[in-house]
Amino acid sequence: LSQNEILEQFGAMFFKFCQESNYDKILQVLGGSLKDFLCNLDALHDHLGTIYPGMRAPSFRCVERASDGALVLCYYSYRIGLEHIVIGIVKAVAKKLHDCQVDVIIEKTRSETGDHVEFAIHMKHTGMSKADKRKSIMSLIGTPTDLDAAAMTEDMLIGSSTFCKAFPFHIMFDRNLNIQQAGTSVARVIPHLFNQQYKFSHLFDLVRPQMEFTFDSILSHINTVFVLKTHDGFLDVSQLKSSSEIFRSYNQSVLRLKGQMLHIKESDVMLFLCSPSVGNLDDLQGRGLYLSDIPIHDATRDLILLSEQFKAEYELTQKLEVLTDELQHTYRKLEEEKRRTDQLLYSILPPSVAKELRQGGTVEAKKFDAVTILFSGIVGFQKICQDSEPMVIVKLLNDIYTAFDDNIRNDVYKVETVGDMYMIVGGLPKRSNTHAKSVALMALDMIQLTQRIKITIGIHSGEIVAGVVGKKLPRYCLFGNTVNITSRTQTTGAEGKINLTEVTQKLLMEPQCQDKSFCFTQREDLVKMKGRKEPMKCYFLERHNKNKAVHLIMRNSSANRSFLFKPRESESSPQYTPPSHGTPPLSLPLECPIKTEKLLQSVVNKLI
């Protein structure tokens, strides 16, 4: 079986599971045809969302296509790749609930529509009689109506004033959310409805569903129950009697409206047909409403009268609805915190390693045959520590390493910082055949970022073993002789220069690692290193253009001064080339206390 066939069978099994999980009755009465069933799925999901606040259900919109009679199903979901599960569910619903066979074809993918997937649902008519075909069509789209809207006479039309009286709680708006019409009762308590400077979204806040407040978004969730509330100050309570003063202090300046959205195709406007969300006579009177404002056919009228007998139970229901909204808000905040936690975790461990640890798996140590490691250290750092206050040292290291972190390339991984030692590696956890070039370019950027603070850099390439060490505060560590040689290349290297071993220099000469900015100079003497019998040949790495300028943009001030870096050359200079990426070099913030500035100045003078 292919992957798509497996997903379709999973969809059919999921529908069977729902039937066996006490949802069979509600699924049977959800719609008399497949079209009605699909159109009412959003209402079922909205009801389930009040029971399970963390549920993020998809949305469905189903229309009949006049050209061939097929149903067009629009599927909206933040999950990607589940289209064939939907196909399996639709086929199972058609077969088990409506006794018909359908073909479901994906006509438009998410990449074509931007936010949803479109399916075409066709009835299978092979081997059917005319009576069976008619029965199948009715199962698909429902019983056709005999009333043709185009054939209506003028005597059958209803005037806007009559419509506003018959439906006193309705609001009609166009694609730009400009209000075109409103019912008599809602217009009386919200007089700003016909103020042209206010749009529908200016007066109301969308409580449910959670989505963008636009015409197209509403159209995509047309089958969902909509709950709106007015913004503070738009509900007119100035005409309340003195006996209702107590209600004004009980947050009566907000009116909640609950109902459905209807798309009027003839004029391309949206009709919000709703009822006031009030639970008792106190709520009604406190918002300036009367029982006569609610139509006789509206069940809200009976609910208000019965609520006097069941006030306690209704208050619990209201609290449950409020708690549901709060839980949904809390769930969104939890999702945001989870995203921040993941971001923090990915800054400590490689993303691929962090994902495995999050899923409870164990990360086995891996051997990497070819990586390039870089160590850097500040020249004279021990002397600086002896002569300077601790806060000055912390400030100095933070400024330098923050600049390094902001300029790290995508294919370079920062391993750790210990004291003044800064360690990065290229070629892991994602293997690359240009690891030496990436690390060499990063080293040139580091030298360029620290113009008046001398740092010594050592680079070596070879094989290592990498793995996660520890359970509490786990660390991604590198092991092997390559790490030791790199460290000694830095400690025995020429101060203020980039020191390369012969292994790395040869890698940088290969075609995939060559760069026009690389300039190599062989060190005159061979370098003796601890742990190696033979002295090693080393090279210095520099840019061809030694006078290349650097952007010096102050982070906390527009003033042009810096104790750590040289001033920026004029951009009009013929040798000027802007940095290719990353954050400009750091400088000392001007709001730093004078005492700290003097201490840091003394540190820099000693380094110079």
Side-chain angles (χ1 to χ4, degrees):
L1 293 177
S2 65
Q3 177 181 343
N4 294 341
E5 290 174 334
I6 293 174
L7 291 176
E8 284 191 27
Q9 292 190 12
F10 177 82
M13 289 300 299
F14 178 75
F15 178 74
K16 182 179 179 182
F17 169 77
C18 293
Q19 286 184 309
E20 296 173 352
S21 301
N22 298 324
Y23 289 101
D24 187 36
K25 289 185 177 180
I26 192 171
L27 292 174
Q28 289 179 358
V29 300
L30 200 58
S33 64
L34 181 60
K35 176 184 176 182
D36 295 338
F37 179 92
L38 296 173
C39 288
N40 283 278
L41 268 181
D42 282 7
L44 176 60
H45 288 155
D46 182 73
H47 168 69
L48 294 177
T50 61
I51 303 175
Y52 308 104
M55 187 179 77
R56 299 174 68 180
S59 180
F60 297 88
R61 183 162 60 92
C62 190
V63 295
E64 182 182 356
R65 188 161 57 194
S67 60
D68 57 357
L71 290 182
V72 177
L73 175 63
C74 299
Y75 165 64
Y76 299 81
S77 175
Y78 73 97
R79 302 178 181 90
I80 300 175
L82 305 184
E83 294 83 2
H84 290 275
I85 294 180
V86 176
I87 293 176
I89 294 175
V90 171
K91 289 182 177 180
V93 170
K95 180 179 180 181
K96 296 183 178 181
L97 296 185
H98 303 288
D99 194 24
C100 61
Q101 299 285 339
V102 296
D103 285 326
V104 185
I105 303 172
I106 299 177
E107 288 196 336
K108 293 183 180 180
T109 62
R110 188 187 300 267
S111 60
E112 295 174 303
T113 62
D115 60 349
H116 67 278
V117 180
E118 287 189 9
F119 302 90
I121 305 174
H122 298 273
M123 181 67 62
K124 289 184 179 180
H125 296 305
T126 305
M128 288 187 179
S129 62
K130 292 185 178 180
D132 290 337
K133 286 182 180 180
R134 179 175 177 81
K135 181 180 178 182
S136 298
I137 294 174
M138 292 174 61
S139 299
L140 182 67
I141 62 174
T143 305
T145 177
D146 295 330
L147 182 62
D148 187 1
M152 294 177 63
T153 63
E154 293 184 0
D155 296 337
M156 300 173 65
L157 300 178
I158 181 173
S160 59
S161 60
T162 305
F163 188 87
C164 291
K165 292 178 181 179
F167 301 97
F169 285 93
H170 81 273
I171 303 173
M172 189 179 295
F173 55 92
D174 60 16
R175 283 190 171 271
N176 296 322
L177 302 185
N178 295 317
I179 299 173
Q180 305 293 328
Q181 181 176 298
T184 54
S185 297
V186 70
R188 179 171 55 82
V189 296
I190 310 177
H192 294 285
L193 281 174
F194 295 107
N195 190 332
Q196 294 183 357
Q197 65 178 343
Y198 293 115
K199 294 180 179 291
F200 189 53
S201 56
H202 295 160
L203 301 175
F204 294 93
D205 185 25
L206 191 58
V207 179
R208 289 206 307 268
Q210 296 293 331
M211 65 177 194
E212 188 179 2
F213 206 160
T214 63
F215 192 94
D216 291 333
S217 296
I218 294 173
L219 190 61
S220 64
H221 295 77
I222 197 71
N223 301 314
T224 306
V225 176
F226 282 78
V227 179
L228 281 70
K229 68 176 181 180
T230 57
H231 290 293
D232 292 337
F234 287 110
L235 185 65
D236 185 14
V237 294
S238 60
Q239 299 181 0
L240 294 182
K241 297 180 180 179
S242 58
S243 60
S244 301
E245 290 292 334
I246 56 174
F247 304 123
R248 298 184 193 180
S249 62
Y250 185 62
N251 191 24
Q252 298 295 327
S253 61
V254 174
L255 175 64
R256 289 169 66 100
L257 299 175
K258 184 175 183 180
Q260 69 176 121
M261 295 285 183
L262 298 173
H263 184 217
I264 310 300
K265 297 181 180 179
E266 292 79 3
S267 52
D268 194 26
V269 296
M270 193 69 67
L271 173 64
F272 180 43
L273 200 58
C274 57
S275 298
S277 183
V278 292
N280 50 49
L281 296 177
D282 292 344
D283 287 346
L284 191 72
Q285 188 179 9
R287 289 174 173 81
L289 296 172
Y290 302 93
L291 280 176
S292 59
D293 291 324
I294 302 175
I296 297 177
H297 61 78
D298 195 334
T300 307
R301 196 179 176 104
D302 298 329
L303 179 63
I304 294 174
L305 296 175
L306 290 174
S307 65
E308 294 302 309
Q309 303 176 14
F310 305 101
K311 190 173 183 178
E313 289 83 352
Y314 183 77
E315 287 178 354
L316 290 176
T317 304
Q318 288 290 89
K319 289 180 180 179
L320 178 61
E321 188 171 355
V322 172
L323 287 175
T324 299
D325 295 340
E326 292 178 353
L327 282 174
Q328 290 179 348
H329 179 69
T330 304
Y331 180 78
R332 291 194 298 272
K333 292 179 64 177
L334 180 62
E335 287 289 314
E336 177 63 21
E337 291 299 324
K338 180 177 176 292
R339 185 190 64 81
R340 293 180 181 177
T341 303
D342 291 344
Q343 188 176 3
L344 178 61
L345 182 62
Y346 295 156
S347 67
I348 299 174
L349 297 171
S352 59
V353 175
K355 289 178 181 178
E356 290 187 30
L357 291 177
R358 279 186 55 198
Q359 295 173 0
T362 58
V363 181
E364 299 291 338
K366 295 181 180 179
K367 180 180 179 182
F368 295 84
D369 295 327
V371 300
T372 299
I373 302 176
L374 177 149
F375 277 94
S376 75
I378 299 176
V379 178
F381 184 69
Q382 293 183 355
K383 179 64 175 174
I384 296 174
C385 294
Q386 294 175 1
D387 299 340
S388 305
E389 293 184 1
M391 291 303 297
V392 179
I393 302 302
V394 172
K395 170 64 179 169
L396 176 67
L397 293 177
N398 181 64
D399 281 358
I400 294 175
Y401 291 155
T402 300
F404 291 171
D405 292 345
D406 291 342
N407 282 269
I408 284 183
R409 299 170 182 270
N410 293 332
D411 48 355
V412 175
Y413 174 68
K414 175 186 174 183
V415 181
E416 62 180 349
T417 56
V418 178
D420 68 318
M421 187 273 293
Y422 189 86
M423 179 182 180
I424 62 174
V425 61
L428 69 80
K430 184 179 180 180
R431 303 177 191 271
S432 170
N433 60 352
T434 59
H435 52 87
K437 178 181 179 180
S438 300
V439 173
L441 290 173
M442 179 66 191
L444 292 172
D445 289 345
M446 292 168 65
I447 292 294
Q448 191 167 293
L449 286 166
T450 53
Q451 297 288 313
R452 296 183 65 181
I453 292 290
K454 280 189 176 182
I455 63 171
T456 303
I457 295 177
I459 303 176
H460 178 60
S461 304
E463 63 178 16
I464 56 99
V465 174
V468 178
V469 177
K471 291 185 177 180
K472 292 185 177 180
L473 295 176
R475 300 285 298 279
Y476 190 69
C477 300
L478 311 184
F479 302 93
N481 195 37
T482 302
V483 180
N484 298 331
I485 294 177
T486 308
S487 176
R488 289 162 190 159
T489 303
Q490 186 269 327
T491 55
T492 60
E495 294 182 352
K497 292 183 176 294
I498 302 173
N499 299 268
L500 304 175
T501 63
E502 186 178 12
V503 177
T504 304
Q505 192 268 345
K506 288 182 179 180
L507 284 176
L508 293 175
M509 296 300 293
E510 293 182 359
Q512 70 272 16
C513 291
Q514 289 182 4
D515 191 280
K516 293 181 180 180
S517 64
F518 292 162
C519 180
F520 303 103
T521 305
Q522 183 175 344
R523 186 170 175 174
E524 294 180 356
D525 57 328
L526 299 178
V527 182
K528 294 182 180 180
M529 295 188 186
K530 184 179 178 181
R532 293 185 63 87
K533 296 180 180 180
E534 300 294 333
M536 294 185 65
K537 185 187 296 184
C538 292
Y539 293 81
F540 299 135
L541 174 64
E542 296 178 307
R543 290 193 192 273
H544 272 298
N545 185 2
K546 296 182 180 179
N547 297 322
K548 187 173 182 181
V550 185
H551 280 289
L552 287 179
I553 301 176
M554 305 286 285
R555 286 190 302 177
N556 298 316
S557 171
S558 59
N560 186 18
R561 64 166 179 163
S562 171
F563 293 110
L564 298 180
F565 308 99
K566 289 182 179 179
R568 170 180 174 177
E569 294 183 11
S570 172
E571 292 187 8
S572 62
S573 172
Q575 297 178 335
Y576 174 76
T577 304
S580 59
H581 71 284
T583 302
L586 300 178
S587 60
L588 183 69
L590 293 182
E591 63 266 20
C592 184
I594 296 177
K595 182 178 179 182
T596 306
E597 288 191 12
K598 291 181 177 179
L599 289 171
L600 189 54
Q601 177 66 68
S602 66
V603 172
V604 175
N605 291 335
K606 291 172 184 176
L607 292 176
I608 298 173

